[in-house]
Amino acid sequence: AVVSTQSTGRQARGDVLLYLDAHCEPTPGWLEPLLEPIGRDRTTVTMPSLDAINWEDLTYAGADTIWVIGGVNWLMNMLWAPIPPRETERRQKEDPFPITANLRTPTMAGGLFAMDRLYFKELGEYDDGMGVWGGENMELSFRIWMCGGSMLFVPCSKVGHIFRPSHPYDFMGNNGDVVSTNYIRAARVWFDDELDFFFKIRPQFKDKDVGDLTERHELRKRLNCKSYAWFIRNVFPELPLERDLLASGQFRTDEDRCMDTRGGDLSQGNALHLGSCTNGVNTNSNRFMMLTKENTLMGLNFCTDSGFAEHLQFHNCHHQGGGQKFVYDPATRQIRQDTGKCLTGDTKLEKVTMAPCVEGNKAQLWSFEFTYF
């Protein structure tokens, strides 16, 4: 929990703060690789490589190295993203054994990291206005990168972690759902010009009172931190800015049906569905889609791809066209692919499919909640 983590950090006297969840099991030799980068640069924050411990029988499943980095979406959720080519190239150039080289990561998972104690204090510790759990890892990640630090996953530091199927505590406090309070506090301090887009996706958060933020704004000014747009462009460019989009929000056919991920864009291979639309303010993030100027169609986590089935599926964005290239034609209001097929809202299947383009077909005529063209 945020409060107990903050309290223990302030009582610590060692050179390095090291946080591990109680449901962790370090392996022999895990500590030295975690501390070495901090010894070289006190503004570096390190995280161990996590192996899975089964929550039912405590069996340990080790991995040879780290194959993902921590990313972020516009809901401010931490997500696991594939290692980008730029990071692979950096590791190959800087280390003779790149598979075990430390890995730059835009975000951290939460309660497992090591950090110079005085640097943690200088950087503002945790936000005292946050409670229980949720969002504090993202806020700290933004602050580290935007204010001059960096974060590394350390493959040679192996720690087992029990991934539980549910949380053993609730998230309700005096101000309602503390998770949403934490997210809003982070967004209002760090999102700058991108804050409006965050509230387009989560309009129910816009008017919520999350307490006084004066101290956190003053901290940011004192630390001379960069913008959130800088963070996206330089640390996690896989996330599009609103200025990179042609359209966003609900994507609606002339048959009054809307694209709906039904939560399926949380993992690869799931279908893009067709469902009912929200009239008025849309608070359902499953119906928030993005069409970029690079002609990719995205949910909040993955890109849609037509190359695996008749209906669209979610897969990692590869930015190489093909089954992930969707071109909107404002004259016909159709979304086309190079195959000559158009994006179609199939009401019988309740899925979004590719079908031959037919002029005037209401299932192929799309309108958008927010447009930028």
Side-chain angles (χ1 to χ4, degrees), residues 239-304:
L239 183 67
L241 291 162
E242 187 175 24
R243 70 195 69 166
D244 301 322
L245 304 179
L246 290 173
S248 68
Q250 291 191 103
F251 287 17
R252 185 188 303 245
T253 70
D254 274 14
E255 294 181 324
D256 200 31
R257 305 291 285 173
C258 284
M259 296 184 189
D260 193 328
T261 69
R262 298 184 186 175
D265 70 330
L266 295 174
S267 59
Q268 293 194 75
N270 291 323
L272 175 59
H273 294 271
L274 190 73
S276 60
C277 302
T278 300
N279 294 316
V281 178
N282 175 35
T283 61
N284 187 342
S285 61
N286 289 336
R287 298 192 192 117
F288 199 98
M289 300 294 296
M290 298 182 288
L291 181 65
T292 74
K293 293 176 181 177
E294 292 184 343
N295 300 314
T296 55
L297 176 65
M298 306 176 61
L300 291 172
N301 297 297
F302 291 100
C303 286
T304 57

Side-chain angles (χ1 to χ4, degrees), residues 52-125:
I53 301 176
N54 186 285
W55 74 279
E56 293 181 306
D57 60 17
L58 301 184
T59 53
Y60 194 104
D64 52 357
T65 189
I66 301 173
W67 299 106
V68 291
I69 60 171
V72 61
N73 63 19
W74 279 109
L75 294 173
M76 212 190 300
N77 294 331
M78 189 265 185
L79 55 90
W80 296 110
I83 300 173
R86 65 182 180 280
E87 183 62 8
T88 299
E89 293 171 3
R90 182 195 68 81
R91 297 168 86 200
Q92 291 173 341
K93 181 179 180 180
E94 296 181 6
D95 197 299
F97 303 101
I99 197 169
T100 59
N102 294 335
L103 180 66
R104 289 177 181 169
T105 178
T107 63
M108 66 169 71
L112 301 96
F113 68 94
M115 187 172 182
D116 181 280
R117 179 175 62 85
L118 294 181
Y119 180 56
F120 184 60
K121 184 177 180 63
E122 292 164 12
L123 209 61
E125 303 173 312

Side-chain angles (χ1 to χ4, degrees), residues 42-58:
R42 65 187 294 268
T43 67
T44 299
V45 179
T46 58
M47 284 78 65
S49 172
L50 296 185
D51 292 333
I53 301 176
N54 186 285
W55 74 279
E56 293 181 306
D57 60 17
L58 301 184

Side-chain angles (χ1 to χ4, degrees), residues 67-229:
W67 299 106
V68 291
I69 60 171
V72 61
N73 63 19
W74 279 109
L75 294 173
M76 212 190 300
N77 294 331
M78 189 265 185
L79 55 90
W80 296 110
I83 300 173
R86 65 182 180 280
E87 183 62 8
T88 299
E89 293 171 3
R90 182 195 68 81
R91 297 168 86 200
Q92 291 173 341
K93 181 179 180 180
E94 296 181 6
D95 197 299
F97 303 101
I99 197 169
T100 59
N102 294 335
L103 180 66
R104 289 177 181 169
T105 178
T107 63
M108 66 169 71
L112 301 96
F113 68 94
M115 187 172 182
D116 181 280
R117 179 175 62 85
L118 294 181
Y119 180 56
F120 184 60
K121 184 177 180 63
E122 292 164 12
L123 209 61
E125 303 173 312
Y126 279 120
D127 177 359
D128 284 324
M130 291 187 173
V132 189
W133 177 94
E136 80 286 348
N137 58 315
M138 307 306 291
E139 193 274 345
L140 182 58
S141 298
F142 303 151
R143 188 157 28 107
I144 290 167
W145 281 108
M146 292 165 62
C147 306
S150 62
M151 298 198 304
L152 297 173
F153 278 131
V154 181
C156 292
S157 176
K158 308 283 283 182
V159 173
H161 180 272
I162 297 176
F163 292 91
R164 295 169 291 193
S166 61
H167 298 288
Y169 36 75
D170 68 58
F171 300 100
M172 302 307 291
N174 295 330
N175 197 26
D177 178 9
V178 296
V179 178
S180 65
T181 296
N182 293 353
Y183 283 144
I184 298 166
R185 287 183 66 87
R188 287 197 174 278
V189 173
W190 298 103
F191 272 22
D192 308 307
D193 294 339
E194 320 312 321
L195 183 63
D196 179 63
F197 190 55
F198 175 75
F199 286 135
K200 285 179 179 176
I201 301 171
R202 284 186 152 167
Q204 67 272 31
F205 286 1
K206 188 170 185 178
D207 296 323
K208 182 172 181 177
D209 180 11
V210 296
D212 187 14
L213 292 167
T214 303
E215 181 183 343
R216 304 308 287 182
H217 283 297
E218 289 176 350
L219 169 71
R220 178 175 177 176
K221 184 177 181 180
R222 185 169 68 251
L223 293 173
N224 194 29
C225 304
K226 295 181 173 66
S227 68
Y228 192 64

